[in-house]
Amino acid sequence: MDVREAEKIAGLARLSLDAAERSRFAGQLTAILGYFEKLREVPTEGVAPASHPADMRSPLRADDPAPFATPLELVARSHRPEGELYRVPRVLE
Amino acid sequence: MLPADLTRSATALAAAVRARRVTARTAADHYLGRIAAHDDAVRAFLHVDPAVVRAQADALDARIARGDTAGALLGVPVAIKDNLCTTGQPTTCASKILADYRPPYDAHVVERIRAEGGVILGKTNLDEFAMGASTENSGVAASRNPHDLKRVPGGSSGGSAAAVAAGLAPLALGSDTGGSVRQPAALCGIVGHRPTYGALSRHGLIAFASSLDQVGPMALNLEDCTLLMAVIAGHDSRDSTSRPGGFDAAAARRDDALSGLRIGVPAEYHSDALDPEVRAAVRQLEDLAVGAGARLVPLSMPLTPYAIPTYYLVVTSEASSNLARFDGIRYGPRDEQQELAASYATTRRRFGDEVKRRIMLGTYALSAGYYDAYYKKALQVRARIGEEFARAFARCDVLLGPTTPTPAFPLGEKSDDPVQMYLCDVFTAPAPLAGLPALSMPCGKSKAGLPIGAQLQGPTGADARLFAVARALERRLALDLSPLEAPRGA
């Protein structure tokens, strides 16, 4: 991963890196990705990907609505609450 | 001060409070006093509010005075890792992005502790967002190993492990994504359990990698760990991965667990990279088990060395998604800019280096053009690792090996080399990938006096079996499992 790629990935992840961080992370991530290459040694053709533990099955229950007890308390703990809303900077130019 | 016998056993402490031999307030004051005396050196805690602790204890004593002595943890203080939500105390994940955040609710496991008469003692240090194996990635300060203050306590639940080992708390909760309960338990000489995926609710555990995260109990000995596990395990509808059924504490206390037990010993757990003193301690445990009627089953699990790259691809991918919520809008401070996107990016500068690295790795592994080569490949190897465990458990009841390749390492030794730090998880990363329970127990000390941990792993749902086996081994080992009188190596 070079510095330009590090900058692109940081942008996708909504991270803002300074020049020193870009250079440091590019080097470290290159080393880590190089280590990950080890996985190529494992044959996996036709193996179904496991995004969860092998025998994980989501337990089912009746679809009864159960509202969160204290939603306003959650909002009140934000940086700029306004009643039941969050005040945010403008989204569009 | 508490009598020494009560500082060695949370179970005895709860019984003594129930019998009115000591008050909950006496117990709380004992541990607050220990923290005041020793935590400047150990740095296990991020937040302790003595007034909040004493108020909980006094309320319990008032209830006891009325004749109500219900509660398995009556009057027992419990330290809580700071990625579990608590009312009345901050919850920060040791991250500047959640500085001073105070959740409006308790995590399910914290609710359970309070309901059983436990006292929430304080919030313990961790690697930021539980990303690390030493607590050196904490956004506040590194915790120290109380057995040698120049060494790491392990991580990410290093604060919880150090607190219990140093006698600053009789019990603690940690969380284990790839070893974060077991590895610090091993390095600090205590017991730590990673439950079967779904055995307890993660409601109120701040998510890091959702297909792997589990809350786990940490204690000085198996009996105390059983006590805490029995309180926190069980179904909760607020976590969609929570399984029905609870923890069979009676089975965990069975005393004939070694008789006829088939113990799998994979050759890969004893590679040349294993520290000789760790190897010797684990071999001694095998001999003890055989002496008590168990049988060793030699195995090969050749995918073991591939668990770390698999784990780190899964964990960073999931983390890049989970940590997207920390943008200054709903939680924590915001570094406000005129425009929303700039506000996100500026606020997220508060993340530490390891969190940024992992978010970037995960974003990269999930990005167009790399998804198949990295993320999908890792999920396929994950499936094969699950199959390898299934084949092993067709031939044995538990797997026994070291928890960590070495005893505690010096502070700073690995902090500039992420790959070296990741290799600490070589024995602990496989079980979470398959959702399996795993427990670390003390099995000896190095010549330098550093604790060594052994790991037992079992098939899905075999948590109580692991406790019973570990308990039988603990009794035969007859180690001194008392907390340290004072931290060492200042």
Side-chain angles (χ1 to χ4, degrees):
Chain A
M1 185 183 290
D2 59 22
V3 171
R4 270 188 56 189
E5 205 165 12
E7 188 170 9
K8 184 185 152 209
I9 294 294
L12 289 172
R14 302 285 193 198
L15 293 172
S16 143
L17 307 181
D18 61 29
E21 286 177 315
R22 277 196 293 276
S23 160
R24 185 167 75 247
F25 288 150
Q28 289 172 334
L29 297 185
T30 299
I32 296 167
L33 290 167
Y35 172 66
F36 288 172
E37 293 295 318
K38 188 176 168 66
L39 284 187
R40 288 181 195 271
E41 297 164 15
V42 183
T44 52
E45 207 177 308
V47 176
S51 59
H52 279 86
D55 67 344
M56 174 69 208
R57 280 176 212 87
S58 288
L60 299 177
R61 63 175 166 82
D63 189 14
D64 298 325
F68 188 78
T70 51
L72 286 179
E73 281 194 46
L74 282 175
V75 177
R77 281 161 165 78
S78 68
H79 180 78
R80 286 184 70 184
E82 227 174 83
E84 58 183 11
L85 304 173
Y86 303 101
R87 166 71 62 182
V88 301
R90 73 165 183 249
V91 179
L92 298 172
E93 289 294 332
Chain B
M1 288 286 282
L2 286 175
D5 61 317
L6 301 186
T7 67
R8 285 195 292 268
S9 165
T11 308
L13 177 57
V17 174
R18 195 171 301 116
R20 305 188 194 190
R21 227 180 102 205
V22 295
T23 62
R25 177 63 182 265
T26 302
D29 282 339
H30 171 86
Y31 287 100
L32 288 171
R34 297 275 306 170
I35 292 167
H38 298 299
D39 205 41
D40 281 351
V42 179
R43 302 183 194 177
F45 284 89
L46 293 176
H47 322 289
V48 177
D49 184 335
V52 169
V53 175
R54 292 190 179 113
Q56 295 173 72
D58 290 347
L60 284 169
D61 285 330
R63 162 156 92 74
I64 293 164
R66 293 195 300 269
D68 179 356
T69 57
L73 295 175
L74 195 66
V76 179
V78 185
I80 309 288
K81 188 178 182 180
D82 201 34
N83 60 352
L84 284 158
C85 289
T86 47
T87 53
Q89 304 208 35
T91 298
T92 67
C93 288
S95 179
K96 294 185 171 65
I97 209 161
L98 278 175
D100 303 323
Y101 185 69
R102 287 176 176 265
Y105 60 89
D106 281 326
H108 174 79
V109 288
V110 173
E111 285 177 354
R112 293 289 308 130
I113 288 167
R114 291 194 204 271
E116 292 293 333
V119 170
I120 305 304
L121 181 59
K123 304 302 289 290
T124 55
N125 195 21
L126 63 154
D127 291 288
E128 184 178 3
F129 282 100
M131 296 181 184
S134 69
T135 72
E136 291 166 296
N137 294 332
S138 166
V140 181
S143 298
R144 311 297 165 102
N145 192 313
H147 291 271
D148 178 352
L149 292 169
K150 296 181 189 67
R151 292 174 186 268
V152 303
S156 65
S157 312
S160 286
V164 173
L168 312 185
L171 294 173
L173 289 183
S175 69
D176 188 310
T177 304
S180 282
V181 162
R182 294 161 287 153
Q183 186 254 15
L187 300 193
C188 289
I190 66 166
V191 179
H193 178 59
R194 177 197 164 83
T196 294
Y197 189 76
L200 49 76
S201 169
R202 304 176 300 177
H203 174 73
L205 170 68
I206 294 176
F208 159 23
S210 303
S211 80
L212 300 156
D213 295 340
Q214 280 292 281
V215 180
M218 306 173 86
L220 289 166
N221 56 65
L222 260 301
E223 178 57 39
D224 286 355
C225 203
T226 303
L227 175 75
L228 184 54
M229 179 67 181
V231 166
I232 60 177
H235 179 70
D236 169 33
S237 61
R238 295 170 299 185
D239 176 354
S240 67
T241 63
S242 166
R243 289 164 176 263
F247 173 68
D248 188 347
R253 294 189 173 104
R254 267 181 50 179
D255 57 8
D256 59 347
L258 292 173
S259 174
L261 186 78
R262 298 172 302 165
I263 299 178
V265 182
E268 290 77 8
Y269 292 4
H270 287 271
S271 78
D272 294 342
L274 187 63
D275 179 277
E277 289 187 288
V278 175
R279 186 197 314 278
V282 174
R283 292 295 190 211
Q284 184 201 7
L285 203 56
E286 292 171 5
D287 292 344
L288 274 180
V290 170
R295 180 161 63 84
L296 299 184
V297 181
L299 294 171
S300 177
M301 298 185 72
L303 291 176
T304 302
Y306 298 96
I308 290 184
T310 304
Y311 169 78
Y312 275 96
L313 277 162
V314 172
V315 93
T316 55
S317 297
E318 295 187 17
S320 72
S321 170
N322 270 325
L323 271 63
R325 76 194 60 185
F326 299 107
D327 56 13
I329 304 300
R330 288 166 295 167
Y331 325 92
R334 183 192 306 170
D335 299 303
E336 182 120 351
Q337 305 292 315
Q338 293 220 320
E339 217 214 332
L340 186 65
S343 198
Y344 289 156
T346 311
T347 300
R348 284 160 69 82
R349 281 189 191 145
R350 290 168 177 267
F351 284 135
D353 274 8
E354 180 63 15
V355 176
K356 288 179 187 166
R357 270 194 295 271
R358 293 201 190 189
I359 289 174
M360 288 180 68
L361 271 172
T363 304
Y364 183 81
L366 293 175
S367 64
Y370 298 105
Y371 179 93
D372 281 2
Y374 289 107
Y375 183 62
K376 185 179 165 201
K377 178 75 180 181
L379 295 187
Q380 289 175 306
V381 179
R382 181 182 193 174
R384 290 205 48 197
I385 288 170
E387 291 161 11
E388 187 167 272
F389 271 116
R391 282 195 297 278
F393 288 122
R395 296 180 55 202
C396 66
D397 304 306
V398 298
L399 293 168
L400 175 62
T403 309
T404 61
T406 66
F409 48 90
L411 286 151
E413 185 181 273
K414 302 178 198 286
S415 47
D416 292 330
D417 187 341
V419 173
Q420 283 306 309
M421 191 68 88
Y422 296 173
L423 290 171
C424 294
D425 300 333
V426 60
F427 301 125
T428 52
L433 289 168
L436 304 178
L439 181 151
S440 181
M441 63 180 289
C443 71
K445 282 190 177 167
S446 70
K447 289 193 195 78
L450 297 172
I452 296 171
Q455 177 176 238
L456 288 159
Q457 301 173 90
T460 299
D463 300 70
R465 182 192 303 167
L466 298 185
F467 276 74
V469 171
R471 184 186 179 92
L473 290 170
E474 178 185 87
R475 198 169 61 239
R476 282 167 177 79
L477 270 169
L479 299 173
D480 178 8
L481 300 176
S482 308
L484 294 169
E485 271 184 41
R488 294 172 180 163

